[in-house]
């Protein structure tokens, strides 16, 4: 019987894709004798995971993060109590076939409350007769509403056209997208940015911040509007208003290493 080259190629490509996907799910090959399959539950979501019982709790937390979006630094992984020691193997903590684990925690979007619908005008392009130009952030309705409330009385003094190093004390007096007071503390020894409000302080690993948008506020160019990209979607951008302009470059340099 003649062999169709196209069918063989398709079958080969399909097999290669399957192997690639399997490789993405498992960072290392698992010996069949070592493999265990168990459930990880997060809210209403249940995932079946296969790992080696000689793999570490820390590796399991990385897998749980990929599945749930809960940062490892904010995650509580529960199995007969909270799993704290990342250096122990799954066998050592008693995880076997059919075990059921629970992830407790919140995604970045949930933690910071940036779940409002996307305002596409924040980064939309306005087409003119001469071509396409990017709309200024301050022209977005959601930003206009916050800026229109005026500069906070206790905001730090802003200086236009100057670049200063970050002060030793936190940056205070700013507000977020719900007009709540915000302070930014740069914990260099821990490589974390602490975002504090009146009710909580969220400790964000700097490596988790993917990008920073910043733009002078119209009519108040000594201050900036700043967006911290904490996740992969527009929903995960955390907006801070009235950031003193002289610290913008230092913030980007400190957080992003630019």
């Amino acid at each position: 019987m003649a062999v169709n080259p196209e069918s063989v190629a398709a079958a080969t490509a399909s097999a290669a894709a399957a192997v690639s996907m399997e490789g993405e799910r498992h960072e290392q090959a698992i010996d069949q004798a070592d493999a265990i399959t168990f459930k990880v539950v997060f809210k209403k979501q249940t995932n079946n995971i296969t790992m080696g019982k000689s793999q570490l709790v820390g590796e399991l937390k990385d897998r749980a993060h990929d599945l749930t979006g809960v940062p490892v630094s904010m995650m509580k992984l529960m199995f007969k109590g909270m799993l704290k020691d990342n250096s122990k193997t799954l066998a050592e903590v008693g995880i076997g076939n059919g075990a059921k684990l629970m992830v407790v925690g919140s995604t970045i979007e949930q933690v910071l409350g940036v779940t409002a619908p996307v305002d596409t005008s924040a980064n939309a392009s306005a087409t003119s007769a001469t071509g396409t130009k990017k709309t200024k952030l301050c022209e977005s309705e959601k930003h206009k509403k916050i800026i229109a409330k005026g500069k906070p009385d206790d905001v730090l003094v802003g200086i236009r056209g100057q670049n200063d190093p970050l002060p030793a004390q936190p940056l205070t007096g700013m507000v977020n997208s719900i007009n709540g007071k915000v302070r930014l503390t740069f914990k260099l020894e821990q490589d974390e940015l602490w975002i504090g409000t009146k009710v909580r302080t969220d400790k964000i690993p700097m490596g988790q911040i993917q990008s920073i948008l910043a733009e002078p506020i119209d009519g108040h160019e000594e201050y900036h509007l700043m967006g911290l990209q904490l996740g992969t979607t527009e929903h995960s951008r955390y907006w801070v208003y009235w950031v003193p302009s002289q610290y913008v470059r230092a913030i980007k340099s400190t957080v992003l290493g630019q």
Side-chain angles (χ1 to χ4, degrees):
M1 183 176 64
V3 177
N4 187 333
E6 292 183 359
S7 297
V8 172
T12 303
S14 177
V19 170
S20 175
M21 290 176 64
E22 185 69 13
E24 290 176 359
R25 287 195 294 266
H26 305 288
E27 294 182 359
Q28 59 183 22
I30 301 174
D31 187 330
Q32 191 63 32
D34 191 49
I36 53 175
T37 299
F38 50 91
K39 297 182 184 296
V40 172
V41 179
F42 176 61
K43 298 185 177 178
K44 296 182 179 180
Q45 173 187 348
T46 300
N47 296 281
N48 289 314
I49 293 182
T50 298
M51 294 182 66
K53 57 189 176 185
S54 60
Q55 288 186 260
L56 304 179
V57 170
E59 295 177 87
L60 171 55
K61 288 181 180 180
D62 288 337
R63 291 284 302 280
H65 164 66
D66 293 339
L67 292 168
T68 65
V70 177
V72 173
S73 61
M74 302 179 186
M75 177 190 299
K76 292 182 180 179
L77 188 58
M78 311 299 293
F79 178 71
K80 299 179 181 178
M82 188 166 67
L83 299 178
K84 297 180 180 180
D85 190 343
N86 293 336
S87 65
K88 286 190 174 182
T89 66
L90 304 190
E92 287 175 330
V93 297
I95 298 174
N97 281 313
K100 184 176 181 180
L101 291 76
M102 182 175 294
V103 172
V104 179
S106 301
T107 64
I108 285 294
E109 291 90 341
Q110 294 167 336
V111 167
L112 298 177
V114 282
T115 55
V118 177
D119 183 353
T120 54
S121 64
N123 290 299
S125 296
T127 304
S128 65
T130 58
T132 301
K133 66 177 183 179
K134 189 175 180 180
T135 303
K136 295 177 68 175
L137 293 174
C138 291
E139 294 176 359
S140 166
E141 286 301 320
K142 72 173 182 180
H143 297 317
K144 278 183 179 180
K145 290 178 182 179
I146 300 298
I147 294 170
K149 296 180 184 294
K151 183 175 65 174
D153 294 336
D154 58 345
V155 71
L156 299 175
V157 174
I159 304 174
R160 180 179 180 179
Q162 183 170 312
N163 294 311
D164 292 341
L166 289 174
Q169 67 274 19
L171 299 182
T172 60
M174 303 166 293
V175 297
N176 58 20
S177 57
I178 58 172
N179 204 42
K181 285 296 179 69
V182 171
R183 65 185 178 277
L184 300 179
T185 306
F186 300 86
K187 293 289 187 178
L188 304 184
E189 66 281 3
Q190 297 160 248
D191 198 32
E192 292 179 340
L193 170 61
W194 291 10
I195 301 177
T197 64
K198 288 184 177 180
V199 296
R200 66 188 301 153
T201 296
D202 294 302
K203 302 176 181 180
I204 312 298
M206 290 189 188
Q208 190 172 305
I209 302 174
Q210 301 178 16
S211 63
I212 297 177
L213 291 180
E215 181 183 282
I217 296 176
D218 287 343
H220 300 275
E221 284 74 11
E222 68 274 23
Y223 294 97
H224 271 60
L225 161 63
M226 179 175 287
L228 306 171
Q229 187 69 48
L230 304 179
T232 58
T233 68
E234 180 69 21
H235 293 280
S236 56
R237 184 168 287 146
Y238 188 83
W239 293 103
V240 183
Y241 302 78
W242 307 104
V243 178
S245 296
Q246 68 270 25
Y247 298 129
V248 170
R249 179 175 292 183
I251 292 173
K252 289 184 175 181
S253 176
T254 300
V255 174
L256 303 176
Q258 297 179 347

